[in-house]
Amino acid sequence: RHLVSHFNSSKHSASMRTVLICLALLASTLSLHIDFHVSVTNGMQGKDHRTKEAMQDVKGNPEKNSAKLDDKTEKSIETDDICPAILYSPTTGLSPSFPGVIAHGIHSLSSPDVQRYFPTSAKMPYNFPVVNPDLSSSEPILFSPPNFDHTFKSPSLQSIDAVLTHMDNPNYDMRLYTPLERIIHAAHMQEVWQEAGEDYSRMKETSKMPAEVCECIRKVESNGILKMLRLIALKVREPGLMYGQHVVMNNGTMDWSGNLYTYHFVDREADADQVLSDHLTPLPHLNTSADWTVWKTQMASMKKDMAEYSRFLATFMLCVLED
């Protein structure tokens, strides 16, 4: 009996322990379920709250939406394909000769030249390209005009000073030019800038270029201006490569007879492929009055187009300096 009673008592205790364990497991499960439900609910509520805030931000900030639209509009204007239609529309008065005219007009501008002929409130450095006057440099194009510390006030003495300061350097300004010929070239460019500067001053006071026109004008990498400027850089750096001249041997060294740079410049971008030819006659060196007559005739040949060329250059300078 004693054994049976002990057995029954042990069996009862085991049953109680089993019941207690089951109750503990059930309580843990209910607790986990409550915590999980609370966490998920709070998480969803937080997500809904953030979503509502975002929606309210979009609806309540039309300027933000407008800015995004403006960005898209600016990107569409930046498409190079639309610039020719903008630049050469009847309303601008520009023509496909524009890139060549501008390259010729800006190729030797310095910062003091800009200040004299195209006065502006814009601060240096000015943001447009020029040909590097240092012909031995590995960078043929500078993307802002160089400065020059002038001693004199008059434009004539300033140009003479700029030339004669480097007169002993054959790799400065214009290769194969004598100092006298460099001075003549500087004076020629001063006349170009003087006429364009007068148009610039009038246009600055009376008109404002449309923003989309100026934006396309400033795209020198794609509108042909930089290409024409590179062409001029090649002319002043390697004139012998530009024309079909014969080599003259002097004691075993190669030299070029004649002055191979002319005042002719390519009017149209499509004509750039035709420059490596024999049809252009180089200017003679300035040794006699007859030589000067040839130079003078060459420079005077631009007169018939100067009004248009001046307007083109003034338009460019307005867009890069004032817009």
Side-chain angles (χ1 to χ4, degrees):
R1 286 180 183 175
H2 176 74
L3 289 173
V4 171
S5 175
H6 178 74
F7 175 77
N8 289 336
S9 175
S10 299
K11 185 176 179 181
H12 177 71
S13 299
S15 297
M16 289 299 294
R17 283 196 298 272
T18 301
V19 170
L20 291 174
I21 290 171
C22 289
L23 289 173
L25 288 173
L26 179 60
S28 298
T29 302
L30 288 172
S31 176
L32 287 172
H33 175 72
I34 291 169
D35 289 343
F36 178 75
H37 177 73
V38 170
S39 298
V40 170
T41 301
N42 289 339
M44 291 300 292
Q45 288 175 346
K47 182 178 179 181
D48 289 344
H49 179 68
R50 289 190 298 271
T51 303
K52 288 177 181 177
E53 283 185 341
M55 291 299 292
Q56 289 172 356
D57 184 58
V58 171
K59 292 178 180 179
N61 291 277
E63 292 180 1
K64 187 178 292 186
N65 289 337
S66 177
K68 292 179 180 178
L69 290 175
D70 289 342
D71 289 343
K72 291 180 181 178
T73 303
E74 288 177 3
K75 288 179 181 178
S76 68
I77 293 176
E78 289 174 0
T79 304
D80 295 336
D81 293 343
I82 68 173
C83 276
I86 292 174
L87 286 178
Y88 306 130
S89 67
T91 57
T92 65
L94 304 180
S95 73
S97 65
F98 182 75
V101 171
I102 300 308
H104 173 260
I106 66 176
H107 79 276
S108 58
L109 268 173
S110 67
S111 292
D113 294 328
V114 173
Q115 294 160 5
R116 175 177 291 276
Y117 297 104
F118 307 98
T120 176
S121 59
K123 302 298 183 183
M124 295 170 52
Y126 305 120
N127 189 27
F128 63 88
V130 297
V131 173
N132 190 346
D134 181 4
L135 306 182
S136 61
S137 170
S138 60
E139 299 179 356
I141 302 296
L142 301 177
F143 284 87
S144 63
N147 199 6
F148 189 87
D149 188 13
H150 287 293
T151 304
F152 307 102
K153 292 184 177 180
S154 69
S156 56
L157 272 177
Q158 284 183 355
S159 63
I160 291 171
D161 184 26
V163 169
L164 296 187
T165 297
H166 301 279
M167 66 183 298
D168 297 325
N169 185 356
N171 295 315
Y172 195 87
D173 188 20
M174 310 282 286
R175 184 162 283 141
L176 300 184
Y177 266 40
T178 66
L180 174 60
E181 291 160 1
R182 294 182 192 179
I183 290 172
I184 298 301
H185 173 259
H188 161 70
M189 294 310 303
Q190 283 185 339
E191 185 169 77
V192 170
W193 301 331
Q194 178 67 38
E195 293 198 31
E198 292 171 1
D199 282 347
Y200 169 87
S201 296
R202 283 193 296 269
M203 294 168 66
K204 187 177 176 181
E205 294 298 325
T206 60
S207 60
K208 180 175 176 61
M209 294 300 296
E212 64 273 14
V213 173
C214 279
E215 187 170 348
C216 288
I217 282 176
R218 289 191 295 268
K219 291 177 176 297
V220 296
E221 295 89 351
S222 59
N223 63 17
I225 292 174
L226 190 58
K227 182 177 181 179
M228 294 297 99
L229 202 60
R230 289 192 181 110
L231 186 62
I232 291 178
L234 183 57
K235 281 186 177 184
V236 301
R237 282 174 161 246
E238 301 294 342
L241 295 179
M242 300 302 295
Y243 310 101
Q245 301 300 312
H246 297 288
V247 177
V248 176
M249 300 299 295
N250 291 327
N251 299 323
T253 62
M254 290 187 295
D255 192 13
W256 298 102
S257 61
N259 192 328
L260 301 179
Y261 179 83
T262 74
Y263 286 106
H264 171 81
F265 58 94
V266 179
D267 287 344
R268 297 176 184 273
E269 188 175 354
D271 295 339
D273 297 331
Q274 305 301 320
V275 298
L276 299 176
S277 64
D278 296 336
H279 77 283
L280 293 177
T281 302
L283 292 171
H285 280 296
L286 281 173
N287 296 316
T288 67
S289 59
D291 296 333
W292 170 239
T293 299
V294 175
W295 278 64
K296 184 165 60 173
T297 301
Q298 181 70 35
M299 287 186 287
S301 68
M302 292 181 60
K303 276 188 175 181
K304 60 182 175 58
D305 300 312
M306 276 305 294
E308 181 180 66
Y309 291 174
S310 296
R311 181 170 54 83
F312 285 5
L313 183 55
T315 301
F316 175 84
M317 297 304 291
L318 274 175
C319 285
V320 298
L321 294 176
E322 300 297 329
D323 189 71

